[in-house]
Amino acid sequence: MISTVDRLGLWLLDLGLVTLVWLSLVMITMMACRQPVRRRAVARVGVLGALSLGPLILLPIQTFDGVIPRSVLLAPLSVLGNWDVIPLDLLSRLLTLGYLSSAVAGLGWLLLGSLASRHLIRTARPASTWGLEQYDRLLNSEDPAERPRLLVSSKLGRPVLIGDFRPTIVLPEGWDQPGPGSAERLRMVLRHELAHAEHRDPRFVWLSTLLQVIWVPMPPAWWIRRRLLLDQEILADDLAARKLGTPGRSYAASLVELAIGGRDYPGRSLSSEQPDVGNRAPQSSPLVLRVAMLLQCPFPIQQAAPVWWRMAMSTVMLFALLVVSRFSLVLAPETTRHEVANAPTIPFHLLELDVSPDAEDDALRFPAPLPDSFELSAFLRASPADLGRIGIAGYRLGPPLEFPTPVDGGSDGWHRVRLRVEGSSAQLWINDQPVATMPDPAGSGQWLTIRPPPGGSLQLRDLILSPSEPTRSTDGTA
């Protein structure tokens, strides 16, 4: 179970960094686009690409490994000054479980939103005869089978568009009744929601919300979603004004009147998975920006990007997505997954090693892969105070002592060390006495490493590393 969490944590950390790089590229590309329809196209490809990165990095294609060691990312969080606060492996597991809990809670909330939306449709009533007449008059030239359904619910305070495959427009109670200015207001609302349905906006609202739920810690995911929602509203406003034959100034005035009149202004569509209560994501599109685009936009708003631009943009972004998915960022620079997976697990025998004092806290790496379960034995000469500062095979030889290293050379002595590792658990004996151990943040969990004490010397004799299970090789030396 613990090894599964460790592997999952490393995969999530790797996927998260790759996704962050991808979303940052998408955000920069959106900033370079002037037309809302082009920003919307880039954002949609970016959202779909980010959600597909998980399966893509699992494809059996050559991967470029070894960019950022995991210890570089996590060790600063586990060490405060010279004192260990929490072991690196334990910190990684806590972060993994915490992230999974957050993601599951977010997905559960999204699922509740879907169920609430479906319940809203089931409990809504059909629109009145007058409301349907206005609707039919607005769409007299379109196929009735492709029109969104028109319902009314007393649970809403504003119109919404719900549904991906069969969109439904749900109006608040009283909006389908005749009255002063009711026909004009209803036509405006319906045309705006129809523009969202025509652009297939609800499904991308849901997908962008899913991306934000999965990658809550990533600011680019939040920015892309907010910008996507705003551009969808701007394009829906422009299309509704054009089809109604209403000047932009009149349409903007109607938006402001609806907002001042005590009701939320129309045009905030919700996906089929988002209820009206608690999930008002389209509030990310401020009314003032929509009005400004209607009144003072310095360029004509396009409703469709040129075909050549869409083809070029899709080709370049898909190529970039494939390239990004081929990088594995979280891995020790000197090691690749392919090397570790195919390295033999025969016993390793080191006859003698003398290490001079070194001020750097560097670990010596040897060409011996560490199996999941192994035993290590060795004789080493070091002072008692230095034992806890020595790392072998990714583990420390006891907890660090709280007193300085003795300067008396006579205090040094030979110690018999035996280390047994099974998965993520380790047992240590020094001079046949059990000693508590902990993971060494500076060590490697894939190859045999030996880290001498900082500024101290180390003599080592007869080190033997062997898997817990017998191997085909009968040679005990390497």
Side-chain angles (χ1 to χ4, degrees), residues 11 108 152 169 202 228 253 325 348 416 430 433 438 463:
W11 183 79
V152 177
I169 299 175
L228 173 62
S325 68
F348 178 83
R416 183 174 185 270
I430 298 181
Q433 298 294 323
M438 63 181 64
L463 182 147

Side-chain angles (χ1 to χ4, degrees), residues 177-427:
Q177 302 300 323
S182 297
E184 181 180 355
R185 179 185 66 178
L186 183 59
R187 289 176 63 247
M188 174 185 168
V189 168
L190 292 178
R191 177 51 68 185
H192 186 98
E193 301 299 340
L194 287 170
H196 279 302
E198 182 178 335
H199 293 157
R200 297 179 177 84
D201 290 341
R203 67 186 61 180
F204 286 97
V205 172
W206 189 86
L207 289 173
S208 62
T209 303
L210 176 63
L211 176 65
Q212 181 178 301
V213 165
I214 295 177
W215 298 115
V216 172
M218 293 189 185
W222 290 71
W223 188 92
I224 291 173
R225 181 177 181 277
R226 289 176 62 89
R227 190 70 229 191
L228 173 62
L229 295 176
L230 177 58
D231 288 333
Q232 288 182 164
E233 296 299 333
I234 292 174
L235 292 172
D237 287 339
D238 180 72
L239 182 59
R242 291 183 185 185
K243 290 195 172 184
L244 288 173
T246 304
R249 184 178 301 275
S250 300
Y251 190 92
S254 299
L255 286 180
V256 175
E257 288 176 3
L258 288 172
I260 297 177
R263 294 182 182 272
D264 287 335
Y265 52 92
R268 296 177 174 178
S269 61
L270 291 176
S271 74
S272 61
E273 310 302 327
Q274 286 185 288
D276 178 62
V277 178
N279 274 314
R280 299 190 176 184
Q283 287 180 347
S284 302
S285 52
L287 176 61
V288 64
L289 294 179
R290 293 172 58 188
V291 172
M293 289 297 292
L294 288 167
L295 298 179
Q296 300 176 351
C297 184
F299 53 86
I301 297 178
Q302 298 176 351
Q303 280 295 319
V307 176
W308 68 265
W309 185 89
R310 284 182 289 172
M311 294 181 62
M313 182 272 297
S314 300
T315 302
V316 171
M317 292 194 68
L318 289 177
F319 177 76
L321 179 67
L322 183 61
V323 171
V324 169
S325 68
R326 293 301 87 207
F327 281 90
S328 178
L329 302 181
V330 186
L331 199 63
E334 71 277 6
T335 307
T336 65
R337 292 190 184 98
H338 181 75
E339 292 174 346
V340 175
N342 294 280
T345 56
I346 61 176
F348 178 83
H349 190 184
L350 182 64
L351 295 178
E352 184 176 355
L353 176 68
D354 292 337
V355 181
S356 301
D358 186 2
E360 301 293 334
D361 192 15
D362 295 332
L364 305 177
R365 174 182 173 273
F366 296 88
L370 295 178
D372 290 338
S373 301
F374 63 89
E375 292 188 5
L376 182 147
S377 62
F379 291 90
L380 60 88
R381 183 182 181 88
S383 66
D386 280 341
L387 283 176
R389 301 193 294 169
I390 297 174
I392 295 182
Y395 290 90
R396 285 183 169 174
L397 300 185
L401 299 181
E402 299 183 4
F403 48 85
T405 305
V407 296
D408 183 6
S411 61
D412 293 355
W414 286 96
H415 307 276
R416 183 174 185 270
V417 175
R418 187 160 63 96
L419 177 67
R420 178 184 299 167
V421 176
E422 295 181 0
S424 59
S425 63
Q427 295 177 290

Side-chain angles (χ1 to χ4, degrees), residues 46 61 88 90 96 98 129 141 167-168 201 212 240 242 296 423 445:
I61 307 177
L88 184 61
L90 178 58
T96 300
T129 303
S141 62
T168 301
D201 290 341
Q212 181 178 301
R242 291 183 185 185
Q296 300 176 351

